[in-house]
Amino acid sequence: MGKSARKLAPNASAAQRPAARIYRAATLAAGETALDAAAAHYLRDVLRLVPGQIVALFNAQDGEYAARISSFDKKGAHLVVEERLRAPEADGADIWLVFAPIKRAHLEYQVQKATELGARLLWPVYTQRTNVERVNEARLLAIATEAAEQSERLSVPAIRPPADLAAALAQWPSDRQILLCDETGGGQALGKFLAGQDLAKPWAILIGPEGGFAPDELALLRGKSFVRPVDLGPRVLRADTAALAALAVFQAFAPDADRRPNFQAI
């Protein structure tokens, strides 16, 4: 669960500030609702909230609502949904992050920060040099959900089940361009490339494993009409650093980059 409160609306009093943001997949509307035992534990035992306090419930379909805690019990928390704080809104640039799985701590950090940077979908793909054999999808979804709660997103990125690189390319939607982060230096500098592109269209960033893509994998990728090799600069970047650097550069050029201030200490 996220640990940052929703920013106070200009016309709201301090007493009305939501004490936490909680992602709620079910439909949100005024009236009574309930949260499960895990959410109740977080609100009651971690945040030490009590009945009468307000939290924010949100999802991409319905927006964000203020909800007042009415009671706790063994099964969960009971709340009364009140006014809407934020209407549904466009989800920003349509960007996916496709990556070779890496060691757990670095992978979890990557998922957290990719969520903050607006990735809509996260897709692990196995390559010849991938050293990680298993990905805990439920754990990654939990991390992405918490990051969405903290970063004030209304949506949570989808976590696609892992696939081999060749299988992923075989089912790839032809209208979504792939930015292949090519560690061999075989592409144009990412910023220069993006400056001339229509970033309102669907895009994806592809990051290879530690040690990079195998030569035949690079040949396969470069042979696809929807793949665009790009370069991230002269320094050797760790896989998770490369993923986040590429996402940050993409978002700097994306159509919604100046939609509103998006940097806040939490």
Side-chain angles (χ1 to χ4, degrees), residues 128-159:
Q128 292 179 33
R129 295 174 179 168
T130 300
N131 293 322
V132 174
E133 297 181 355
R134 181 177 177 273
V135 174
N136 187 334
E137 297 168 55
R139 172 66 178 161
L140 296 187
L141 180 59
I143 291 169
T145 300
E146 180 175 341
E149 291 170 341
Q150 292 180 334
S151 63
E152 297 194 7
R153 285 184 62 158
L154 290 179
S155 64
V156 173
I159 307 293

Side-chain angles (χ1 to χ4, degrees), residues 3 31 48 64 80 82 107 109 143 152 177 231 236 238 247:
K3 297 173 178 59
R48 303 293 185 182
E64 186 166 331
V80 177
E82 298 178 345
L107 176 59
Y109 179 84
I143 291 169
E152 297 194 7
Q177 301 293 298
D231 185 76
V236 176
R238 216 167 56 182
L247 269 172

Side-chain angles (χ1 to χ4, degrees), residues 64-94:
E64 186 166 331
Y65 283 78
R68 191 177 301 275
I69 301 170
S70 56
S71 65
F72 293 104
D73 59 29
K74 293 182 179 180
K75 294 183 178 180
H78 302 273
L79 304 92
V80 177
V81 180
E82 298 178 345
E83 78 268 17
R84 188 159 71 179
L85 302 173
R86 188 171 160 196
E89 59 189 35
D91 203 21
D94 186 359

Side-chain angles (χ1 to χ4, degrees), residues 166-227:
L169 293 174
Q171 59 182 288
W172 193 263
S174 60
D175 64 335
R176 183 174 296 274
Q177 301 293 298
I178 294 178
L179 297 168
L180 166 62
C181 295
D182 185 352
E183 72 278 358
T184 68
Q188 186 178 6
L190 177 58
K192 291 182 178 179
F193 176 82
L194 292 176
Q197 303 299 315
D198 180 1
L199 301 186
K201 293 182 177 180
W203 289 86
I205 292 168
L206 175 58
I207 301 291
E210 298 167 340
F213 292 104
D216 57 330
E217 291 173 329
L218 285 173
L220 173 65
L221 286 162
R222 290 171 181 156
K224 301 294 184 181
S225 61
F226 48 80
V227 173

Side-chain angles (χ1 to χ4, degrees), residues 12 24 41 71 77 87 122 127 135 174:
R24 172 80 167 156
H41 165 73
S71 65
L122 304 172
T127 68
V135 174
S174 60

